Each structure stands twice: as C-alpha cells, then as structure tokens.
Amino acid sequence: MLTHSTLPDIHAALAGLGATLALVTLVWLVSLAKRNVSIVDVFWGLGFVVLAWLYRATAPDPTFRALLVSLLGTVWGLRLSGYILWRNWGRGEDYRYRDMRQRRGARFPVVSLWTVFWLQGVILWVVALPIFAAARAAGPPGLTLLDAAGVTLFAVGLWFETVGDLQLARFKADPANRGKVMDRGLWRFTRHPNYFGDAVVWWGFFAFAAATGAWWSAVGPALMTVLLLRVSGVSLLERGLAESKPGYRAYIERTSAFVPWFPKS
C-alpha cells in the first residue's frame, strides 16, 4: 500500500524534468553550432550525474543512501560519457542522425529539438526515477539488505559494461579483425555484455529505491531494459550486423542475445 512517505514529490520530480529539458536544449544549441547531433549521446551519461546531485541537493533531509546513490550515479555516468566521447572522437555525426538530417532537410535543426533532444531528455528523466526516489527519501536512515543488493547489482552491471566495452575496443583496434565477429571474452557468452550490464546497473538503482518503499520507480529500469532490448539497443544494432558481417547469423544462433549463458555447440 502506498503511503505519503513512499509517494513521489510531484513538484520536485517536475523540477527535475524542467532542469533536464533545459540542459538538453542547451546541448541542442551546441549541436546547431557544431552541426553534429551526436553530442547528445555524450551528454546522456552526464545528464544522470546532474540529476543525481540535483535531487540530493534539494532533498529535505538527505541520508547516506542519497549520497551513495549520487556517487554511484556519477561513476556510471562519467564512465559512459567518457567512453562515448573517446569512441566518437573525430568520427563525425552518427549515421542515424545523418540519415535523419537528409530526410528532414532544412527543417532538421528544429525537428531534432523535440525528436532527439527533448525525447531523450524525457526518457533520461523517467529512467532516473529510482535515483530520484532514493536520493529524496527520508528513510530508512540505515542501509538495508535491499541497499546491499543495489550495490551488488551496480558492481556486476558496471563490470559487464566496462569489460565488454574494453574488449570490443581492443578487438576493433586490430586491423586483422576487420569484418570479423567479436565472439571472445564476455562476448562469447552474450552478444551484448555492455547492454546487459547497463540494465543490471539500473535494476541496482531500483533496489536502492525499493529500500525506501518506492516500488513505483521500477518504471525507470523497466523502460531502460525495453529500450536496450527492443528499440535502440539489440534490435537496432543487429539489424545491420546480420547483413554486414557474414558470420553474424551463426553467432546469433549459438550465443545468448542478452543474459550471459554458455554458447551452443
């Protein structure tokens, strides 16, 4: 049963949404100057960092849980944004945005504001609801078993993300691997260890929120998981890989798509 202490502070939540939309609008203005919408991908992780500290700073009675969640959110967000910045450096605009720019023509700069920047801002705000709940809750004051589960899930997820990204970067850096399928290390057990790790991290943040009774915040990691599996993650990426890499269909047949598991013979 929901009580007053477990219900979200609507005014504080809307303030977070307003701050998020203001920030992505500023990023949109920068994208107009640079003619590169891909900078929104770099901002994605940083947006969570800003929200985490905003929620803690405006909490009426911040707890140690609020500090812990803000710190973990900062680690996750900075790692992700730093990696995307390094990966995209000098590569120009992502092909998805180039195609959109070509289709929209002169209207693209304005259209991109709500179809790319504001849309991602709203998604960011929804995904971050567990951080909002955990950062602003007054109790319980001490850490619980659910908080311990949150730390564990966060650590496991971050490990999968970080190791998976590093393994893939090293694989791509070797010219001998051009055109080949990455099926080594963590990629032997799941076709997307980085996406799997991302989802686990956010279910970890939900565990912190659940410790305060904010079960409603499950909508955040649920949305992130759906996006990773069905929208901008696995489905979108594999659509092109199956056509461009000759061995990818066989890789799909023997390797789990998301949750790590032993490959089929």
Side-chain angles (χ1 to χ4, degrees):
M1 180 176 177
L2 289 176
T3 65
H4 179 73
S5 62
T6 59
L7 288 170
D9 182 337
I10 300 300
H11 296 294
L14 291 177
L17 176 59
T20 304
L21 292 178
L23 285 171
V24 294
T25 301
L26 288 175
V27 178
W28 170 72
L29 291 173
V30 175
S31 79
L32 295 182
K34 296 180 67 66
R35 288 189 56 83
N36 188 345
V37 173
S38 295
I39 62 173
V40 72
D41 298 332
V42 177
F43 174 76
W44 175 254
L46 296 177
F48 290 101
V49 176
V50 173
L51 271 186
W53 290 104
L54 174 65
Y55 289 148
R56 183 182 182 276
T58 58
D61 187 20
T63 62
F64 177 73
R65 179 181 296 104
L67 175 61
L68 179 59
V69 167
S70 297
L71 288 172
L72 295 181
T74 299
V75 170
W76 178 84
L78 291 180
R79 188 214 74 86
L80 180 61
S81 288
Y83 173 73
I84 293 176
L85 178 63
W86 171 80
R87 186 190 65 185
N88 293 351
W89 191 263
R91 294 178 59 181
E93 193 170 54
D94 186 275
Y95 74 93
R96 296 168 298 167
Y97 304 129
R98 289 201 306 268
D99 291 346
M100 189 184 301
R101 186 184 293 276
Q102 190 171 26
R103 290 196 310 270
R104 298 293 184 176
R107 296 175 59 242
F108 174 74
V110 175
V111 171
S112 68
L113 175 60
W114 65 80
T115 60
V116 178
F117 291 87
W118 283 354
L119 175 61
Q120 288 205 30
V122 172
I123 292 173
L124 188 158
W125 175 73
V126 174
V127 170
L129 285 176
I131 292 181
F132 168 79
R136 294 187 58 84
L143 298 183
T144 68
L145 288 177
L146 280 172
D147 293 303
V151 172
T152 302
L153 288 171
F154 177 87
V156 170
L158 187 68
W159 184 80
F160 267 92
E161 279 191 88
T162 304
V163 174
D165 283 340
L166 286 174
Q167 289 176 342
L168 182 61
R170 289 176 180 172
F171 179 82
K172 288 184 173 181
D174 187 348
N177 293 325
R178 185 166 299 171
K180 294 182 179 179
V181 175
M182 170 53 165
D183 59 357
R184 309 169 190 174
L186 294 179
W187 300 80
R188 180 170 178 263
F189 303 99
T190 166
R191 303 200 298 272
H192 303 279
N194 46 357
Y195 293 157
F196 170 74
D198 203 355
V200 172
V201 162
W202 282 99
W203 285 107
F205 282 125
F206 168 67
F208 288 109
T212 72
W215 298 94
W216 52 266
S217 65
V219 66
L223 175 60
M224 176 65 91
T225 304
V226 170
L227 290 173
L228 290 170
L229 280 171
R230 300 298 180 188
V231 183
S232 61
V234 174
S235 298
L236 178 64
L237 184 62
E238 293 199 333
R239 207 174 299 150
L241 288 174
E243 300 297 330
S244 62
K245 291 185 181 292
Y248 202 82
R249 294 188 185 277
Y251 179 57
I252 290 176
E253 290 296 323
R254 68 176 183 269
T255 311
S256 171
F258 199 65
V259 179
W261 193 247
F262 295 102
K264 297 177 183 178
S265 301

